[in-house]
């Protein structure tokens, strides 16, 4: 991973500070009119989004002539709103992207925020669950999406467990800790957020992370998306947005403590210990073994789309080259 000496990190920090000062002074001296752009999140602000907040805080967007407004999610997905031009950029997922392309919604993914899927099924260890077989007869709490059922069924069958014995409950946006106290036995969470939050509170948990067992389920997630129309009409603006965004995530990778401090400053309602621990964990996961932050492997998306077809989530597999575009990464 990233083995950077302390001296190098200090120099990088100076460079980023200089960039911010240069960006701010340029905007003032030249009286540049910034272009207003919107980014619609997929969920409430968390460390998956840290690069955007860092880039905004440190003036990287203004350096490239952008005034970015970060919007909280609505009942309509970012994929749909970006596809219809109601938002310029958004955060989405591989399954939503593939559904959209098959429905002729002109969405394109510009970057994978985390190189590997970091979601896991999680339960309290005092529930005596030690394997997938032990989940038979248990209560799963989720959103009621087709992907949940398909993923659980696939995992159950591969582990010799009977899926029809699982009790699936639609609980919606409930956090793991309160949900597993009374309503359900296990949920599906991100390793570096709700699972980490439980561990930081001293709760012993067990996990089953699909990406560790099935390569076809391991794809970059979440994704930065825009529309074909935005790319066609304003390619330079898209490129500048991605340059600034990349600087934000690269800063978080190289300076997790400083990046965490910025996110807490920008979103003060977040719990500080969780943000710090999560950013540290994700700093080695954002880019991982990819050639650069945000890079998207077509073969990994094609493998996932092939799995979606295999389990009857889709009828056709869209060409990855039509909905992935790495060319805007600096």
């Amino acid at each position: 991973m990233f083995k950077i000496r302390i001296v190098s990190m200090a120099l990088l920090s100076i460079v980023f500070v200089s960039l911010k000062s240069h960006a701010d002074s340029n905007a003032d001296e030249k009286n540049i009119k910034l272009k207003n752009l919107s980014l619609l999140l997929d969920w409430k602000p968390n460390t998956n989004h840290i690069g955007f907040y860092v880039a905004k805080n440190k003036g990287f967007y203004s350096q490239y002539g952008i005034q970015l407004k970060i919007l909280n999610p609505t009942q309509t997905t970012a994929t749909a709103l970006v596809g219809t031009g109601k938002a310029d950029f958004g955060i989405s997922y591989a399954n939503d992207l593939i559904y959209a392309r098959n429905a002729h919604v002109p969405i394109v993914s510009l970057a994978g925020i985390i190189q590997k899927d970091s979601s896991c099924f999680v339960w309290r260890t005092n529930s005596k669950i030690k394997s997938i077989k032990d989940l038979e007869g248990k209560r799963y709490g989720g959103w009621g999406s087709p992907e949940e059922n398909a993923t659980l069924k696939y995992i159950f069958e591969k582990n010799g467990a009977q899926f029809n014995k699982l009790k699936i409950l639609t609980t919606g946006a409930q956090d793991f800790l309160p949900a597993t106290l009374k309503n359900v036995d296990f949920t599906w969470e991100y390793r570096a957020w709700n699972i980490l939050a439980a561990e930081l509170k001293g709760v012993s948990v067990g996990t089953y992370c699909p990406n560790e067992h099935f390569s076809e389920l391991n794809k970059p997630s979440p994704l930065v998306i825009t529309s074909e129309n935005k790319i066609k009409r304003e390619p330079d603006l898209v490129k500048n947005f991605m340059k600034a965004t990349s600087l934000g995530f690269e800063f978080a990778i190289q300076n997790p403590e400083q990046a965490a401090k910025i996110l807490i400053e920008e979103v003060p309602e977040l719990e500080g210990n969780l943000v710090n621990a999560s950013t540290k964990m994700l700093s080695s996961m954002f880019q991982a073994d990819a050639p650069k932050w945000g890079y998207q492997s077509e073969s990994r998306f094609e493998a996932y789309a092939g799995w979606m077809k295999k389990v009857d989530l889709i009828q056709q597999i869209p060409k990855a080259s039509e909905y992935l575009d790495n060319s805007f990464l600096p």
Side-chain angles (χ1 to χ4, degrees), residues 77-281:
T77 68
T79 308
L81 292 174
V82 171
T84 56
K86 300 292 174 52
D88 299 302
F89 300 92
I91 309 301
S92 187
Y93 302 87
N95 57 304
D96 280 352
L97 183 63
I98 291 168
Y99 285 141
R101 294 302 306 200
N102 276 344
H104 307 293
V105 179
I107 289 295
V108 176
S109 179
L110 302 171
I113 293 177
I114 303 172
Q115 271 301 307
K116 298 179 180 180
D117 188 294
S118 60
S119 65
C120 307
F121 293 102
V122 57
W123 53 83
R124 294 172 183 258
T125 53
N126 61 15
S127 63
K128 309 301 181 183
I129 297 170
K130 298 184 181 301
S131 68
I132 295 297
K133 185 75 173 173
D134 293 332
L135 294 177
E136 291 179 349
K138 299 297 184 182
R139 301 165 299 169
Y140 168 73
W143 302 273
S145 70
E147 295 77 35
E148 289 177 289
N149 284 21
T151 303
L152 283 163
K153 186 173 186 292
Y154 188 71
I155 289 171
F156 267 58
E157 291 175 350
K158 292 294 184 179
N159 283 274
Q162 296 184 56
F163 175 70
N164 60 6
K165 290 186 177 181
L166 178 64
K167 300 173 183 177
I168 298 179
L169 305 175
T170 301
T171 56
Q174 242 190 124
D175 286 341
F176 166 75
L177 284 176
T180 52
L181 274 177
K182 52 183 179 180
N183 298 329
V184 300
D185 299 300
F186 72 109
T187 61
W188 196 358
E189 310 285 353
Y190 274 112
R191 182 73 188 85
W193 196 247
N194 278 343
I195 295 176
L196 180 58
E199 292 171 335
L200 289 173
K201 291 180 179 178
V203 178
S204 179
V205 301
T207 60
Y208 185 95
C209 307
N211 81 82
E212 296 176 357
H213 303 273
F214 307 101
S215 60
E216 61 269 34
L217 300 181
N218 190 19
K219 70 286 182 193
S221 176
L223 309 172
V224 183
I225 62 169
T226 192
S227 65
E228 286 183 353
N229 188 49
K230 177 65 69 176
I231 290 174
K232 182 178 179 180
R233 291 188 175 186
E234 301 179 287
D236 290 340
L237 191 60
V238 174
K239 185 173 286 291
N240 285 339
F241 171 80
M242 289 309 301
K243 284 179 180 177
T245 299
S246 295
L247 282 175
F249 278 99
E250 287 165 5
F251 184 92
I253 290 167
Q254 296 155 1
N255 306 276
E257 289 185 7
Q258 294 179 52
K261 185 177 180 180
I262 289 171
L263 181 58
I264 295 167
E265 179 184 329
E266 293 288 323
V267 192
E269 63 267 28
L270 294 178
E271 201 279 307
N273 289 337
L274 174 58
V275 171
N276 278 293
S278 178
T279 306
K280 183 177 180 180
M281 179 183 288

